[in-house]
Amino acid sequence: MKRKLRMGMVGGGNDAFIGAVHRIAAFMDGKIELVCGAFSIDPQISKQSGEDLFVSPERVYLNYEEMIEKESLLPEGERMDFVTIVTPNFLHFAPAKLALEKGFDVVVEKPMTVSVEEAKELQETVERTGRTLCLTHTYSGYPMVKQAKAMVKEGHFGKIRKIVVEYPQGWLSRLTEREGNAGAAWRADPKRSGKSLVMGDIGTHVAHLAEYVSGLKIEELCADLTTFVEGRLLDDDGSVLLRFQNGAKGVLMASQISAGEENAVRIRIYGEKGGLEWANEDPNNLIVKMLDQPRQLYRTGNAYAAPYTLSSFATHNTRVPAGHPEGLLESFANIYRNFAATVTAKREGRTPTAEEQDFPTVYDGVRGMAFIDTVVKNNEGTEKWTKFVL
Ligand code: NAD
């Protein structure tokens, strides 16, 4: 396919937060162009957003139903190839399902849906239609996260015993949802957010990170959810004990009342021989701590000699030479680039490489929804441990 992939957007207008980040990420490698959108719940904002983004006025649609229907009727050489869905959580499932059924690939924000049932239906739809669904678990796109995963996989640390993930934020320390913040308002509304605020908004990111880097699946958990801010309708803080397959144990903390914190995502993993540490606020560093050795610092973009050579997954997802910082936008762009490469390879009848296929999918989305359900069920019930049921 000797052309860019054509992207349509649902949400992400001038009234939105993450939509603009998606566009930067999608355009970074020159493989994707924006051709249409239903950019906002407000038609005026959608129209203005389309104008600002230089989208042809006839391809700025009133709603996602009209967009998907009308685009599907355009000739092959014109119509969009995939839809990016960046709406509030309760509005992920319907556009994703419709797009897949009409033959489009999908990029969708996390949490993938608001229930396990919807998530499983999307899985069934992906399997039946053969389309590609990419879920934007942003933190899994960093080169040093990929390096961490590769080192765990090759047995560098021995059998994994302990996995600790944290995501503290402070922006919901007050009743932000009543202060005219639209993003906080839908997040704190059970009808638009889902069963859990903190786990849907940020907990699934670190649950995914724990499974992605360790290569192990969560099997059971014990959770404690709290609503600290008076008047709030959903939880804003959570601590979860995790039991993984193979006997590894873990701790997950997700909190939006950790006053003063920004996006302090951190993962630590310990095996029989040593451990690793990676943090979002210092993303080009991977700290490796081996028993009986000085601490080591792996840095993005270096051509280290063996046995320190960075993995092909880390280098594939690095754009600039060592010492030039890469961050969240590049991590996000890695997800888009791998998704685009996979979609293109499938259309050309080729099998994408393992590096190209390395982005979160519908299966991660189903696990994310099951994670939220299991946490809420355990928190509300009386049993000590609740099995992670898919
Ligand atoms: P937001 O409230 O800032 O923006 C939502 C957008 O969706 C707005 O443009 C709104 O007008 C639009 N919208 C609402 N209903 C619509 C409809 N029916 N049709 C078309 N557009 C509609 O929200 P946000 O912070 O950008 O979050 C959007 C999604 O992205 C959420 O699911 C959130 O969890 C996720 N998110 C993910 C990350 C990440 O790191 N991956 C970061 C932030 C947000």
Side-chain angles (χ1 to χ4, degrees):
M1 245 171 65
K2 296 280 178 273
R3 63 167 178 83
K4 294 187 183 194
L5 284 184
R6 293 186 284 258
M7 163 177 165
M9 286 193 99
V10 182
N14 293 346
D15 55 343
F17 160 51
I18 205 70
V21 175
H22 276 257
R23 285 190 293 274
I24 295 169
F27 303 159
M28 190 175 285
D29 296 288
K31 310 267 187 208
I32 294 170
E33 62 182 328
L34 179 68
V35 295
C36 63
F39 295 105
S40 171
I41 187 75
D42 179 330
Q44 266 318 104
I45 295 178
S46 184
K47 189 165 171 281
Q48 186 59 50
S49 308
E51 228 172 88
D52 295 346
L53 293 163
F54 306 106
V55 173
S56 308
E58 70 277 10
R59 291 176 84 176
V60 177
Y61 299 99
L62 265 185
N63 53 52
Y64 72 83
E65 291 96 332
E66 186 197 0
M67 173 173 116
I68 293 168
E69 182 60 34
K70 289 202 170 152
E71 286 289 319
S72 73
L73 299 174
L74 289 178
E76 156 72 33
E78 274 178 54
R79 69 168 168 261
M80 68 176 175
D81 295 301
F82 75 93
V83 188
T84 285
I85 300 164
V86 279
T87 43
N89 303 348
F90 79 110
L91 264 167
H92 293 175
F93 170 74
K97 168 98 174 150
L98 187 61
L100 293 166
E101 296 287 5
K102 289 282 180 183
F104 299 110
D105 297 303
V106 167
V107 174
V108 61
E109 263 299 351
K110 45 48 59 179
M112 190 167 75
T113 58
V114 287
S115 72
V116 176
E117 291 70 31
E118 284 181 353
K120 283 187 172 168
E121 198 173 327
L122 282 190
Q123 177 184 327
E124 181 280 320
T125 312
V126 165
E127 287 169 352
R128 175 166 45 77
T129 59
R131 304 253 56 100
T132 303
L133 184 146
C134 168
L135 184 74
T136 43
H137 273 308
T138 328
Y139 306 99
S140 65
Y142 284 103
M144 285 298 106
V145 167
K146 308 237 180 244
Q147 177 65 18
K149 178 179 174 64
M151 290 175 82
V152 171
K153 192 173 175 195
E154 78 188 16
H156 196 85
F157 307 105
K159 188 174 178 219
I160 298 305
R161 291 170 165 166
K162 189 86 184 173
I163 301 164
V164 183
V165 281
E166 301 156 50
Y167 198 156
Q169 295 182 327
W171 74 292
L172 296 178
S173 294
R174 289 189 282 257
L175 206 56
T176 322
E177 57 269 40
R178 306 260 178 89
E179 293 172 358
N181 183 322
W186 70 253
R187 279 173 171 82
D189 172 3
K191 290 200 190 74
R192 292 182 284 169
S193 194
K195 288 184 186 169
S196 165
L197 164 55
V198 75
M199 290 302 155
D201 208 32
I202 57 174
T204 52
H205 268 314
V206 276
H208 175 259
L209 195 63
E211 291 197 343
Y212 178 71
V213 177
S214 72
L216 301 172
K217 301 280 184 233
I218 300 166
E219 287 194 326
E220 284 188 298
L221 56 79
C222 168
D224 180 21
L225 296 175
T226 306
T227 306
F228 275 104
V229 175
E230 214 174 304
R232 180 160 284 151
L233 300 178
L234 283 168
D235 50 67
D236 48 31
D237 179 82
S239 310
V240 190
L241 296 177
L242 305 167
R243 286 178 171 170
F244 290 81
Q245 66 192 116
N246 104 329
K249 301 284 174 91
V251 183
L252 181 151
M253 182 270 254
S255 169
Q256 295 178 300
I257 49 81
S258 295
E261 291 288 4
E262 296 172 341
N263 285 286
V265 177
R266 189 158 71 129
I267 179 163
R268 284 172 287 166
I269 295 188
Y270 304 97
E272 290 166 332
K273 298 191 279 183
L276 64 84
E277 179 173 344
W278 176 88
N280 179 52
E281 293 181 343
D282 208 355
N284 298 302
N285 286 344
L286 174 65
I287 302 167
V288 170
K289 308 164 185 179
M290 303 304 291
L291 274 176
D292 311 319
Q293 288 181 25
R295 199 166 278 198
Q296 297 162 1
L297 185 64
Y298 284 67
R299 299 259 307 150
T300 308
N302 280 283
Y304 297 131
Y308 304 105
T309 313
L310 296 176
S311 80
S312 64
F313 289 85
T315 53
H316 171 76
N317 290 286
T318 303
R319 289 179 176 74
V320 294
H324 298 305
E326 297 192 31
L328 179 87
L329 296 174
E330 288 84 356
S331 178
F332 228 119
N334 290 336
I335 294 175
Y336 266 96
R337 191 174 56 177
N338 293 340
F339 162 77
T342 291
V343 166
T344 304
K346 280 168 79 175
R347 287 177 185 207
E348 291 175 347
R350 290 184 289 113
T351 305
T353 65
E355 287 83 357
E356 288 171 341
Q357 290 182 62
D358 182 24
F359 58 86
T361 68
V362 72
Y363 299 102
D364 299 294
V366 173
R367 287 196 67 78
M369 294 318 301
F371 172 74
I372 296 170
D373 255 27
T374 315
V375 165
V376 171
K377 185 174 168 206
N378 178 272
N379 180 66
E380 287 172 354
T382 52
E383 62 187 5
K384 185 168 175 186
W385 292 96
T386 301
K387 284 233 179 302
F388 198 96
V389 181
L390 278 181

